[in-house]
Amino acid sequence: MAYNNIIVETHDAVGLIRLNRPNSLNALCQELTEEMGDALKKFEQDDAIGAVVLTGSSKAFAAGADIKEMKDRSYMDVYQADFITATWEEASRFRKPIIAAVAGFALGGGCELAMMCDFIICADNAKFGQPEINLGTIPGAGGTQRLTRFVGKSKAMDMCLTGRMMGAEEAERAGLVSRIVPLDDLEDEAIKAAATIAKLSRPTVMMCKESVNKAYETTLREGIMFERRLFHSTFATEDQKEGMNAFAEKRSPSFKNK
Ligand code: CAA
């Protein structure tokens, strides 16, 4: 598939997808979401890739779904095409770690896409928001659900009902982003974090990601049991033996992803 709306790069074991529709602040049109899904599937299948960074430009991660493209669609159009579900959610199904590196606007579907990733590193100029209410609609790619789980009801209601934007510091304080870095360092920091993860045992990393994600979908007791079973199962891997032996022998581990 040729890409018109994204740029795909690899940095050693890190795959990078850059949203690239500069004239519309990376608004998420149908074609862009299809391309992003295709690139993610390829990174998923590529054994050389251990983690992925999803980013945009210094002005915008993404300013939301493409309003001009969707504005005239009917209820039947969006229902029958299964709008959002059909092409947007590959990031939330991706099994390898995926980091959102957000600079500038992450609004509406842009904020929702960032939240589908495993964690968000943002630049000091980042602005998050769910402004759909101003358009006579509501968030449709998980905003009312994920934002509420990440920042709590009061702030999620504030963001979704007033449509106001939240800056980087507020986003970090609220737990939406893991860390803020200077704009010029954003990409390097995100790639560095992804490279750190990519060096680890791939199966263990995937289990760890599954276990954290379970916390959002289950009771505490069931989540702890799920974690315990995965923890036990890491003892069946060669990488657990290697990691613990390397510690005991005061050397760096050499993981084989087995
Ligand atoms: N869809 C389509 N085009 C968009 C867009 C979007 N979401 N956001 C920005 N653009 C376009 C603008 O129309 C403009 O194009 P032209 O130059 O052809 O007029 C260009 O990008 C630059 O935008 P602005 O001139 O508006 O730039 P600004 O700096 O003055 O404002 C902004 C920036 C505050 C982000 C403003 O563009 C804006 O409010 N954008 C819309 C944000 C929004 O409402 N997002 C939610 C979309 S709905 C959604 O995402 C649903 C869902 O949950 C899935």
Side-chain angles (χ1 to χ4, degrees), residues 21-25 27-28 63-70 83-84 88 105 107-110 112 130-132 135 137-143 165:
R21 285 187 82 203
N23 294 336
S24 57
L25 299 176
L28 302 163
D66 189 319
I67 300 165
K68 295 167 192 167
E69 185 183 67
M70 73 181 158
F83 180 42
I84 305 294
W88 278 55
F105 298 110
L107 302 177
E112 292 168 308
Q130 298 290 162
E132 290 89 342
L135 302 169
T137 186
I138 70 167
M165 292 185 216

PDB file of all heavy atoms in Angstrom, residues 21-25 27-28 63-70 83-84 88 105 107-110 112 130-132 135 137-143 165, ligand 1:
ATOM      1  N   ARG A  21      -0.492  15.066   7.408  1.00  0.00           N
ATOM      2  CA  ARG A  21      -1.429  15.852   6.587  1.00  0.00           C
ATOM      3  C   ARG A  21      -1.307  17.309   7.059  1.00  0.00           C
ATOM      4  O   ARG A  21      -2.199  17.820   7.747  1.00  0.00           O
ATOM      5  CB  ARG A  21      -2.873  15.398   6.789  1.00  0.00           C
ATOM      6  CG  ARG A  21      -3.248  14.112   6.131  1.00  0.00           C
ATOM      7  CD  ARG A  21      -4.760  13.892   6.277  1.00  0.00           C
ATOM      8  NE  ARG A  21      -5.516  14.607   5.285  1.00  0.00           N
ATOM      9  CZ  ARG A  21      -6.795  14.960   5.435  1.00  0.00           C
ATOM     10  NH1 ARG A  21      -7.456  14.689   6.541  1.00  0.00           N
ATOM     11  NH2 ARG A  21      -7.430  15.597   4.470  1.00  0.00           N
ATOM     12  N   PRO A  22      -0.187  17.949   6.749  1.00  0.00           N
ATOM     13  CA  PRO A  22       0.100  19.259   7.343  1.00  0.00           C
ATOM     14  C   PRO A  22      -0.980  20.302   7.063  1.00  0.00           C
ATOM     15  O   PRO A  22      -1.217  21.186   7.897  1.00  0.00           O
ATOM     16  CB  PRO A  22       1.438  19.665   6.714  1.00  0.00           C
ATOM     17  CG  PRO A  22       1.678  18.725   5.587  1.00  0.00           C
ATOM     18  CD  PRO A  22       0.884  17.495   5.843  1.00  0.00           C
ATOM     19  N   ASN A  23      -1.667  20.200   5.916  1.00  0.00           N
ATOM     20  CA  ASN A  23      -2.658  21.235   5.588  1.00  0.00           C
ATOM     21  C   ASN A  23      -3.929  21.138   6.412  1.00  0.00           C
ATOM     22  O   ASN A  23      -4.753  22.043   6.403  1.00  0.00           O
ATOM     23  CB  ASN A  23      -3.019  21.186   4.094  1.00  0.00           C
ATOM     24  CG  ASN A  23      -1.825  21.568   3.250  1.00  0.00           C
ATOM     25  OD1 ASN A  23      -0.923  22.264   3.744  1.00  0.00           O
ATOM     26  ND2 ASN A  23      -1.788  21.104   2.010  1.00  0.00           N
ATOM     27  N   SER A  24      -4.109  20.034   7.110  1.00  0.00           N
ATOM     28  CA  SER A  24      -5.330  19.921   7.923  1.00  0.00           C
ATOM     29  C   SER A  24      -4.991  19.501   9.349  1.00  0.00           C
ATOM     30  O   SER A  24      -5.805  18.888  10.022  1.00  0.00           O
ATOM     31  CB  SER A  24      -6.297  18.928   7.285  1.00  0.00           C
ATOM     32  OG  SER A  24      -5.666  17.685   7.142  1.00  0.00           O
ATOM     33  N   LEU A  25      -3.800  19.870   9.806  1.00  0.00           N
ATOM     34  CA  LEU A  25      -3.375  19.556  11.176  1.00  0.00           C
ATOM     35  C   LEU A  25      -3.555  18.066  11.481  1.00  0.00           C
ATOM     36  O   LEU A  25      -3.991  17.667  12.555  1.00  0.00           O
ATOM     37  CB  LEU A  25      -4.135  20.415  12.201  1.00  0.00           C
ATOM     38  CG  LEU A  25      -3.936  21.933  12.076  1.00  0.00           C
ATOM     39  CD1 LEU A  25      -4.821  22.682  13.080  1.00  0.00           C
ATOM     40  CD2 LEU A  25      -2.480  22.319  12.290  1.00  0.00           C
ATOM     41  N   ALA A  27      -5.715  15.966  10.441  1.00  0.00           N
ATOM     42  CA  ALA A  27      -7.085  15.458  10.642  1.00  0.00           C
ATOM     43  C   ALA A  27      -7.145  14.027  10.115  1.00  0.00           C
ATOM     44  O   ALA A  27      -6.569  13.689   9.080  1.00  0.00           O
ATOM     45  CB  ALA A  27      -8.082  16.345   9.915  1.00  0.00           C
ATOM     46  N   LEU A  28      -7.855  13.192  10.865  1.00  0.00           N
ATOM     47  CA  LEU A  28      -7.824  11.748  10.619  1.00  0.00           C
ATOM     48  C   LEU A  28      -8.895  11.374   9.588  1.00  0.00           C
ATOM     49  O   LEU A  28     -10.016  11.007   9.939  1.00  0.00           O
ATOM     50  CB  LEU A  28      -8.031  11.012  11.949  1.00  0.00           C
ATOM     51  CG  LEU A  28      -6.980  11.375  13.017  1.00  0.00           C
ATOM     52  CD1 LEU A  28      -7.459  10.973  14.409  1.00  0.00           C
ATOM     53  CD2 LEU A  28      -5.636  10.730  12.697  1.00  0.00           C
ATOM     54  N   ALA A  63      -5.706  16.835  14.851  1.00  0.00           N
ATOM     55  CA  ALA A  63      -6.789  17.727  15.310  1.00  0.00           C
ATOM     56  C   ALA A  63      -8.154  17.042  15.246  1.00  0.00           C
ATOM     57  O   ALA A  63      -9.179  17.710  15.202  1.00  0.00           O
ATOM     58  CB  ALA A  63      -6.786  19.020  14.499  1.00  0.00           C
ATOM     59  N   GLY A  64      -8.152  15.720  15.220  1.00  0.00           N
ATOM     60  CA  GLY A  64      -9.428  15.001  15.308  1.00  0.00           C
ATOM     61  C   GLY A  64      -9.816  14.331  14.020  1.00  0.00           C
ATOM     62  O   GLY A  64      -9.071  14.346  13.035  1.00  0.00           O
ATOM     63  N   ALA A  65     -10.999  13.730  14.033  1.00  0.00           N
ATOM     64  CA  ALA A  65     -11.550  13.160  12.803  1.00  0.00           C
ATOM     65  C   ALA A  65     -11.672  14.287  11.787  1.00  0.00           C
ATOM     66  O   ALA A  65     -11.804  15.457  12.158  1.00  0.00           O
ATOM     67  CB  ALA A  65     -12.913  12.546  13.089  1.00  0.00           C
ATOM     68  N   ASP A  66     -11.642  13.926  10.498  1.00  0.00           N
ATOM     69  CA  ASP A  66     -11.733  14.950   9.456  1.00  0.00           C
ATOM     70  C   ASP A  66     -13.184  15.431   9.358  1.00  0.00           C
ATOM     71  O   ASP A  66     -14.062  14.725   8.845  1.00  0.00           O
ATOM     72  CB  ASP A  66     -11.259  14.364   8.115  1.00  0.00           C
ATOM     73  CG  ASP A  66     -11.124  15.456   7.071  1.00  0.00           C
ATOM     74  OD1 ASP A  66     -11.999  16.355   7.019  1.00  0.00           O
ATOM     75  OD2 ASP A  66     -10.150  15.426   6.303  1.00  0.00           O
ATOM     76  N   ILE A  67     -13.395  16.637   9.883  1.00  0.00           N
ATOM     77  CA  ILE A  67     -14.766  17.171   9.984  1.00  0.00           C
ATOM     78  C   ILE A  67     -15.364  17.387   8.592  1.00  0.00           C
ATOM     79  O   ILE A  67     -16.533  17.079   8.346  1.00  0.00           O
ATOM     80  CB  ILE A  67     -14.766  18.499  10.778  1.00  0.00           C
ATOM     81  CG1 ILE A  67     -14.211  18.270  12.198  1.00  0.00           C
ATOM     82  CG2 ILE A  67     -16.171  19.101  10.841  1.00  0.00           C
ATOM     83  CD1 ILE A  67     -13.830  19.542  12.941  1.00  0.00           C
ATOM     84  N   LYS A  68     -14.526  17.862   7.675  1.00  0.00           N
ATOM     85  CA  LYS A  68     -15.054  18.154   6.324  1.00  0.00           C
ATOM     86  C   LYS A  68     -15.464  16.867   5.616  1.00  0.00           C
ATOM     87  O   LYS A  68     -16.427  16.840   4.866  1.00  0.00           O
ATOM     88  CB  LYS A  68     -14.008  18.917   5.513  1.00  0.00           C
ATOM     89  CG  LYS A  68     -13.709  20.305   6.098  1.00  0.00           C
ATOM     90  CD  LYS A  68     -12.447  20.901   5.464  1.00  0.00           C
ATOM     91  CE  LYS A  68     -11.987  22.123   6.242  1.00  0.00           C
ATOM     92  NZ  LYS A  68     -10.632  22.546   5.865  1.00  0.00           N
ATOM     93  N   GLU A  69     -14.718  15.789   5.866  1.00  0.00           N
ATOM     94  CA  GLU A  69     -15.021  14.507   5.218  1.00  0.00           C
ATOM     95  C   GLU A  69     -16.299  13.888   5.789  1.00  0.00           C
ATOM     96  O   GLU A  69     -17.065  13.255   5.081  1.00  0.00           O
ATOM     97  CB  GLU A  69     -13.847  13.549   5.409  1.00  0.00           C
ATOM     98  CG  GLU A  69     -13.979  12.228   4.674  1.00  0.00           C
ATOM     99  CD  GLU A  69     -12.801  11.289   4.976  1.00  0.00           C
ATOM    100  OE1 GLU A  69     -12.679  10.838   6.143  1.00  0.00           O
ATOM    101  OE2 GLU A  69     -12.017  11.004   4.067  1.00  0.00           O
ATOM    102  N   MET A  70     -16.514  14.070   7.101  1.00  0.00           N
ATOM    103  CA  MET A  70     -17.641  13.326   7.716  1.00  0.00           C
ATOM    104  C   MET A  70     -18.918  14.142   7.852  1.00  0.00           C
ATOM    105  O   MET A  70     -19.970  13.602   8.156  1.00  0.00           O
ATOM    106  CB  MET A  70     -17.226  12.771   9.081  1.00  0.00           C
ATOM    107  CG  MET A  70     -17.099  13.778  10.190  1.00  0.00           C
ATOM    108  SD  MET A  70     -16.584  12.974  11.733  1.00  0.00           S
ATOM    109  CE  MET A  70     -15.906  14.386  12.586  1.00  0.00           C
ATOM    110  N   PHE A  83     -18.242   3.237  11.063  1.00  0.00           N
ATOM    111  CA  PHE A  83     -17.272   4.335  11.161  1.00  0.00           C
ATOM    112  C   PHE A  83     -16.552   4.265  12.506  1.00  0.00           C
ATOM    113  O   PHE A  83     -17.177   4.041  13.526  1.00  0.00           O
ATOM    114  CB  PHE A  83     -18.035   5.659  11.002  1.00  0.00           C
ATOM    115  CG  PHE A  83     -17.167   6.886  11.091  1.00  0.00           C
ATOM    116  CD1 PHE A  83     -15.916   6.936  10.467  1.00  0.00           C
ATOM    117  CD2 PHE A  83     -17.614   8.001  11.781  1.00  0.00           C
ATOM    118  CE1 PHE A  83     -15.136   8.079  10.549  1.00  0.00           C
ATOM    119  CE2 PHE A  83     -16.829   9.152  11.861  1.00  0.00           C
ATOM    120  CZ  PHE A  83     -15.599   9.193  11.250  1.00  0.00           C
ATOM    121  N   ILE A  84     -15.295   4.482  12.524  1.00  0.00           N
ATOM    122  CA  ILE A  84     -14.349   4.357  13.637  1.00  0.00           C
ATOM    123  C   ILE A  84     -13.938   2.889  13.798  1.00  0.00           C
ATOM    124  O   ILE A  84     -12.779   2.548  13.598  1.00  0.00           O
ATOM    125  CB  ILE A  84     -14.873   4.901  15.002  1.00  0.00           C
ATOM    126  CG1 ILE A  84     -15.342   6.356  14.874  1.00  0.00           C
ATOM    127  CG2 ILE A  84     -13.800   4.742  16.082  1.00  0.00           C
ATOM    128  CD1 ILE A  84     -14.279   7.372  14.575  1.00  0.00           C
ATOM    129  N   TRP A  88     -10.115   2.535  12.606  1.00  0.00           N
ATOM    130  CA  TRP A  88      -9.346   3.390  13.517  1.00  0.00           C
ATOM    131  C   TRP A  88      -8.603   2.663  14.620  1.00  0.00           C
ATOM    132  O   TRP A  88      -7.699   3.222  15.229  1.00  0.00           O
ATOM    133  CB  TRP A  88     -10.325   4.344  14.240  1.00  0.00           C
ATOM    134  CG  TRP A  88     -10.733   5.549  13.498  1.00  0.00           C
ATOM    135  CD1 TRP A  88     -11.305   5.608  12.252  1.00  0.00           C
ATOM    136  CD2 TRP A  88     -10.643   6.906  13.958  1.00  0.00           C
ATOM    137  NE1 TRP A  88     -11.584   6.905  11.932  1.00  0.00           N
ATOM    138  CE2 TRP A  88     -11.188   7.716  12.963  1.00  0.00           C
ATOM    139  CE3 TRP A  88     -10.174   7.486  15.142  1.00  0.00           C
ATOM    140  CZ2 TRP A  88     -11.263   9.104  13.096  1.00  0.00           C
ATOM    141  CZ3 TRP A  88     -10.252   8.863  15.275  1.00  0.00           C
ATOM    142  CH2 TRP A  88     -10.781   9.657  14.255  1.00  0.00           C
ATOM    143  N   PHE A 105      -1.613  20.070  18.896  1.00  0.00           N
ATOM    144  CA  PHE A 105      -3.002  19.667  19.159  1.00  0.00           C
ATOM    145  C   PHE A 105      -3.196  18.142  19.129  1.00  0.00           C
ATOM    146  O   PHE A 105      -2.768  17.474  18.192  1.00  0.00           O
ATOM    147  CB  PHE A 105      -3.938  20.274  18.107  1.00  0.00           C
ATOM    148  CG  PHE A 105      -3.952  21.776  18.105  1.00  0.00           C
ATOM    149  CD1 PHE A 105      -3.401  22.498  17.056  1.00  0.00           C
ATOM    150  CD2 PHE A 105      -4.524  22.474  19.160  1.00  0.00           C
ATOM    151  CE1 PHE A 105      -3.413  23.886  17.057  1.00  0.00           C
ATOM    152  CE2 PHE A 105      -4.542  23.866  19.176  1.00  0.00           C
ATOM    153  CZ  PHE A 105      -3.978  24.576  18.125  1.00  0.00           C
ATOM    154  N   LEU A 107      -6.643  16.630  19.585  1.00  0.00           N
ATOM    155  CA  LEU A 107      -8.039  16.968  19.873  1.00  0.00           C
ATOM    156  C   LEU A 107      -8.984  15.910  19.320  1.00  0.00           C
ATOM    157  O   LEU A 107      -8.710  15.317  18.268  1.00  0.00           O
ATOM    158  CB  LEU A 107      -8.387  18.318  19.233  1.00  0.00           C
ATOM    159  CG  LEU A 107      -7.516  19.505  19.668  1.00  0.00           C
ATOM    160  CD1 LEU A 107      -7.921  20.767  18.910  1.00  0.00           C
ATOM    161  CD2 LEU A 107      -7.622  19.727  21.176  1.00  0.00           C
ATOM    162  N   GLY A 108     -10.099  15.731  19.982  1.00  0.00           N
ATOM    163  CA  GLY A 108     -11.104  14.793  19.496  1.00  0.00           C
ATOM    164  C   GLY A 108     -10.480  13.437  19.223  1.00  0.00           C
ATOM    165  O   GLY A 108      -9.831  12.837  20.091  1.00  0.00           O
ATOM    166  N   GLY A 109     -10.643  12.963  17.976  1.00  0.00           N
ATOM    167  CA  GLY A 109     -10.067  11.678  17.605  1.00  0.00           C
ATOM    168  C   GLY A 109      -8.559  11.632  17.781  1.00  0.00           C
ATOM    169  O   GLY A 109      -7.985  10.556  17.955  1.00  0.00           O
ATOM    170  N   GLY A 110      -7.896  12.786  17.767  1.00  0.00           N
ATOM    171  CA  GLY A 110      -6.444  12.830  17.981  1.00  0.00           C
ATOM    172  C   GLY A 110      -6.095  12.467  19.412  1.00  0.00           C
ATOM    173  O   GLY A 110      -5.164  11.695  19.679  1.00  0.00           O
ATOM    174  N   GLU A 112      -8.092  10.776  21.314  1.00  0.00           N
ATOM    175  CA  GLU A 112      -8.542   9.380  21.468  1.00  0.00           C
ATOM    176  C   GLU A 112      -7.509   8.404  20.898  1.00  0.00           C
ATOM    177  O   GLU A 112      -7.254   7.341  21.476  1.00  0.00           O
ATOM    178  CB  GLU A 112      -9.898   9.205  20.777  1.00  0.00           C
ATOM    179  CG  GLU A 112     -10.995   9.983  21.499  1.00  0.00           C
ATOM    180  CD  GLU A 112     -12.278  10.086  20.698  1.00  0.00           C
ATOM    181  OE1 GLU A 112     -12.214  10.515  19.521  1.00  0.00           O
ATOM    182  OE2 GLU A 112     -13.343   9.745  21.233  1.00  0.00           O
ATOM    183  N   GLN A 130     -11.310  17.233  24.020  1.00  0.00           N
ATOM    184  CA  GLN A 130     -12.412  16.499  23.365  1.00  0.00           C
ATOM    185  C   GLN A 130     -13.476  17.545  23.012  1.00  0.00           C
ATOM    186  O   GLN A 130     -14.483  17.667  23.707  1.00  0.00           O
ATOM    187  CB  GLN A 130     -12.979  15.432  24.317  1.00  0.00           C
ATOM    188  CG  GLN A 130     -12.002  14.351  24.729  1.00  0.00           C
ATOM    189  CD  GLN A 130     -11.596  13.363  23.635  1.00  0.00           C
ATOM    190  OE1 GLN A 130     -10.603  12.683  23.750  1.00  0.00           O
ATOM    191  NE2 GLN A 130     -12.342  13.287  22.539  1.00  0.00           N
ATOM    192  N   PRO A 131     -13.238  18.286  21.912  1.00  0.00           N
ATOM    193  CA  PRO A 131     -14.134  19.411  21.585  1.00  0.00           C
ATOM    194  C   PRO A 131     -15.362  19.040  20.754  1.00  0.00           C
ATOM    195  O   PRO A 131     -16.043  19.931  20.245  1.00  0.00           O
ATOM    196  CB  PRO A 131     -13.207  20.340  20.796  1.00  0.00           C
ATOM    197  CG  PRO A 131     -12.254  19.418  20.111  1.00  0.00           C
ATOM    198  CD  PRO A 131     -12.094  18.217  20.990  1.00  0.00           C
ATOM    199  N   GLU A 132     -15.654  17.741  20.637  1.00  0.00           N
ATOM    200  CA  GLU A 132     -16.750  17.317  19.752  1.00  0.00           C
ATOM    201  C   GLU A 132     -18.071  17.994  20.091  1.00  0.00           C
ATOM    202  O   GLU A 132     -18.921  18.220  19.227  1.00  0.00           O
ATOM    203  CB  GLU A 132     -16.938  15.789  19.825  1.00  0.00           C
ATOM    204  CG  GLU A 132     -15.812  14.980  19.197  1.00  0.00           C
ATOM    205  CD  GLU A 132     -14.672  14.648  20.151  1.00  0.00           C
ATOM    206  OE1 GLU A 132     -14.544  15.284  21.207  1.00  0.00           O
ATOM    207  OE2 GLU A 132     -13.903  13.726  19.819  1.00  0.00           O
ATOM    208  N   LEU A 135     -19.284  20.698  18.062  1.00  0.00           N
ATOM    209  CA  LEU A 135     -19.718  20.362  16.699  1.00  0.00           C
ATOM    210  C   LEU A 135     -21.091  19.706  16.713  1.00  0.00           C
ATOM    211  O   LEU A 135     -21.556  19.199  15.696  1.00  0.00           O
ATOM    212  CB  LEU A 135     -18.719  19.385  16.058  1.00  0.00           C
ATOM    213  CG  LEU A 135     -17.265  19.829  15.949  1.00  0.00           C
ATOM    214  CD1 LEU A 135     -16.369  18.654  15.554  1.00  0.00           C
ATOM    215  CD2 LEU A 135     -17.131  20.961  14.932  1.00  0.00           C
ATOM    216  N   THR A 137     -21.774  16.977  18.377  1.00  0.00           N
ATOM    217  CA  THR A 137     -21.657  15.523  18.505  1.00  0.00           C
ATOM    218  C   THR A 137     -20.888  15.194  19.788  1.00  0.00           C
ATOM    219  O   THR A 137     -20.661  16.091  20.611  1.00  0.00           O
ATOM    220  CB  THR A 137     -20.990  14.919  17.238  1.00  0.00           C
ATOM    221  OG1 THR A 137     -21.014  13.488  17.321  1.00  0.00           O
ATOM    222  CG2 THR A 137     -19.561  15.382  17.059  1.00  0.00           C
ATOM    223  N   ILE A 138     -20.534  13.950  19.961  1.00  0.00           N
ATOM    224  CA  ILE A 138     -19.779  13.550  21.157  1.00  0.00           C
ATOM    225  C   ILE A 138     -18.553  12.741  20.719  1.00  0.00           C
ATOM    226  O   ILE A 138     -18.487  12.284  19.575  1.00  0.00           O
ATOM    227  CB  ILE A 138     -20.642  12.723  22.150  1.00  0.00           C
ATOM    228  CG1 ILE A 138     -20.964  11.331  21.598  1.00  0.00           C
ATOM    229  CG2 ILE A 138     -21.940  13.467  22.505  1.00  0.00           C
ATOM    230  CD1 ILE A 138     -21.542  10.372  22.643  1.00  0.00           C
ATOM    231  N   PRO A 139     -17.585  12.550  21.605  1.00  0.00           N
ATOM    232  CA  PRO A 139     -16.434  11.719  21.233  1.00  0.00           C
ATOM    233  C   PRO A 139     -16.917  10.349  20.763  1.00  0.00           C
ATOM    234  O   PRO A 139     -17.838   9.775  21.348  1.00  0.00           O
ATOM    235  CB  PRO A 139     -15.645  11.602  22.543  1.00  0.00           C
ATOM    236  CG  PRO A 139     -16.013  12.824  23.319  1.00  0.00           C
ATOM    237  CD  PRO A 139     -17.465  13.068  22.993  1.00  0.00           C
ATOM    238  N   GLY A 140     -16.255   9.826  19.704  1.00  0.00           N
ATOM    239  CA  GLY A 140     -16.730   8.559  19.147  1.00  0.00           C
ATOM    240  C   GLY A 140     -15.661   7.499  19.029  1.00  0.00           C
ATOM    241  O   GLY A 140     -15.914   6.415  18.510  1.00  0.00           O
ATOM    242  N   ALA A 141     -14.441   7.821  19.491  1.00  0.00           N
ATOM    243  CA  ALA A 141     -13.371   6.820  19.400  1.00  0.00           C
ATOM    244  C   ALA A 141     -12.831   6.509  20.794  1.00  0.00           C
ATOM    245  O   ALA A 141     -11.641   6.264  20.975  1.00  0.00           O
ATOM    246  CB  ALA A 141     -12.259   7.310  18.474  1.00  0.00           C
ATOM    247  N   GLY A 142     -13.731   6.555  21.768  1.00  0.00           N
ATOM    248  CA  GLY A 142     -13.340   6.141  23.116  1.00  0.00           C
ATOM    249  C   GLY A 142     -13.111   7.283  24.090  1.00  0.00           C
ATOM    250  O   GLY A 142     -12.775   7.034  25.252  1.00  0.00           O
ATOM    251  N   GLY A 143     -13.292   8.524  23.668  1.00  0.00           N
ATOM    252  CA  GLY A 143     -12.974   9.668  24.529  1.00  0.00           C
ATOM    253  C   GLY A 143     -13.721   9.684  25.852  1.00  0.00           C
ATOM    254  O   GLY A 143     -13.116   9.909  26.907  1.00  0.00           O
ATOM    255  N   MET A 165      -9.487  22.958  26.110  1.00  0.00           N
ATOM    256  CA  MET A 165      -8.230  22.225  25.928  1.00  0.00           C
ATOM    257  C   MET A 165      -7.454  22.190  27.242  1.00  0.00           C
ATOM    258  O   MET A 165      -7.575  23.085  28.068  1.00  0.00           O
ATOM    259  CB  MET A 165      -7.367  22.904  24.874  1.00  0.00           C
ATOM    260  CG  MET A 165      -7.941  22.827  23.475  1.00  0.00           C
ATOM    261  SD  MET A 165      -6.775  23.516  22.297  1.00  0.00           S
ATOM    262  CE  MET A 165      -7.891  24.295  21.140  1.00  0.00           C
TER     263      MET A 165
HETATM  264  N1  CAA B   1     -10.988  18.238  10.277  1.00  0.00           N
HETATM  265  C1  CAA B   1     -10.755  18.808   9.083  1.00  0.00           C
HETATM  266  N2  CAA B   1      -9.947  19.877   8.908  1.00  0.00           N
HETATM  267  C2  CAA B   1      -9.353  20.375   9.992  1.00  0.00           C
HETATM  268  C3  CAA B   1      -9.551  19.834  11.272  1.00  0.00           C
HETATM  269  C4  CAA B   1     -10.399  18.707  11.394  1.00  0.00           C
HETATM  270  N3  CAA B   1     -10.611  18.097  12.563  1.00  0.00           N
HETATM  271  N4  CAA B   1      -8.833  20.569  12.163  1.00  0.00           N
HETATM  272  C5  CAA B   1      -8.215  21.523  11.457  1.00  0.00           C
HETATM  273  N5  CAA B   1      -8.518  21.417  10.145  1.00  0.00           N
HETATM  274  C6  CAA B   1      -8.054  22.250   9.043  1.00  0.00           C
HETATM  275  C7  CAA B   1      -8.729  23.611   9.058  1.00  0.00           C
HETATM  276  O1  CAA B   1     -10.012  23.543   8.442  1.00  0.00           O
HETATM  277  C8  CAA B   1      -7.749  24.430   8.267  1.00  0.00           C
HETATM  278  O2  CAA B   1      -7.900  24.155   6.896  1.00  0.00           O
HETATM  279  P1  CAA B   1      -7.930  25.360   5.819  1.00  0.00           P
HETATM  280  O3  CAA B   1      -6.577  25.987   5.928  1.00  0.00           O
HETATM  281  O4  CAA B   1      -8.174  24.644   4.528  1.00  0.00           O
HETATM  282  O5  CAA B   1      -9.016  26.259   6.240  1.00  0.00           O
HETATM  283  C9  CAA B   1      -6.402  23.866   8.717  1.00  0.00           C
HETATM  284  O6  CAA B   1      -6.688  22.561   9.221  1.00  0.00           O
HETATM  285  C10 CAA B   1      -5.724  24.668   9.810  1.00  0.00           C
HETATM  286  O7  CAA B   1      -6.669  24.815  10.866  1.00  0.00           O
HETATM  287  P2  CAA B   1      -7.064  26.232  11.486  1.00  0.00           P
HETATM  288  O8  CAA B   1      -6.944  27.316  10.458  1.00  0.00           O
HETATM  289  O9  CAA B   1      -8.393  26.071  12.128  1.00  0.00           O
HETATM  290  O10 CAA B   1      -5.900  26.393  12.553  1.00  0.00           O
HETATM  291  P3  CAA B   1      -5.938  27.189  13.922  1.00  0.00           P
HETATM  292  O11 CAA B   1      -4.543  27.172  14.439  1.00  0.00           O
HETATM  293  O12 CAA B   1      -6.635  28.492  13.780  1.00  0.00           O
HETATM  294  O13 CAA B   1      -6.873  26.288  14.897  1.00  0.00           O
HETATM  295  C11 CAA B   1      -7.598  24.226  15.912  1.00  0.00           C
HETATM  296  C12 CAA B   1      -6.429  25.010  15.279  1.00  0.00           C
HETATM  297  C13 CAA B   1      -8.011  24.885  17.217  1.00  0.00           C
HETATM  298  C14 CAA B   1      -7.086  22.821  16.165  1.00  0.00           C
HETATM  299  C15 CAA B   1      -8.797  24.208  14.943  1.00  0.00           C
HETATM  300  O14 CAA B   1      -8.354  23.814  13.661  1.00  0.00           O
HETATM  301  C16 CAA B   1      -9.896  23.289  15.352  1.00  0.00           C
HETATM  302  O15 CAA B   1     -10.678  23.611  16.237  1.00  0.00           O
HETATM  303  N6  CAA B   1     -10.004  22.091  14.703  1.00  0.00           N
HETATM  304  C17 CAA B   1     -11.050  21.150  14.941  1.00  0.00           C
HETATM  305  C18 CAA B   1     -10.835  20.380  16.236  1.00  0.00           C
HETATM  306  C19 CAA B   1     -11.994  19.436  16.496  1.00  0.00           C
HETATM  307  O16 CAA B   1     -13.123  19.861  16.642  1.00  0.00           O
HETATM  308  N7  CAA B   1     -11.709  18.128  16.580  1.00  0.00           N
HETATM  309  C20 CAA B   1     -12.714  17.116  16.811  1.00  0.00           C
HETATM  310  C21 CAA B   1     -13.163  16.524  15.494  1.00  0.00           C
HETATM  311  S1  CAA B   1     -14.552  15.438  15.684  1.00  0.00           S
HETATM  312  C22 CAA B   1     -13.892  13.951  16.200  1.00  0.00           C
HETATM  313  O17 CAA B   1     -12.694  13.790  16.328  1.00  0.00           O
HETATM  314  C23 CAA B   1     -14.886  12.854  16.441  1.00  0.00           C
HETATM  315  C24 CAA B   1     -14.343  11.641  17.087  1.00  0.00           C
HETATM  316  O18 CAA B   1     -14.340  11.493  18.294  1.00  0.00           O
HETATM  317  C25 CAA B   1     -13.841  10.548  16.301  1.00  0.00           C
END
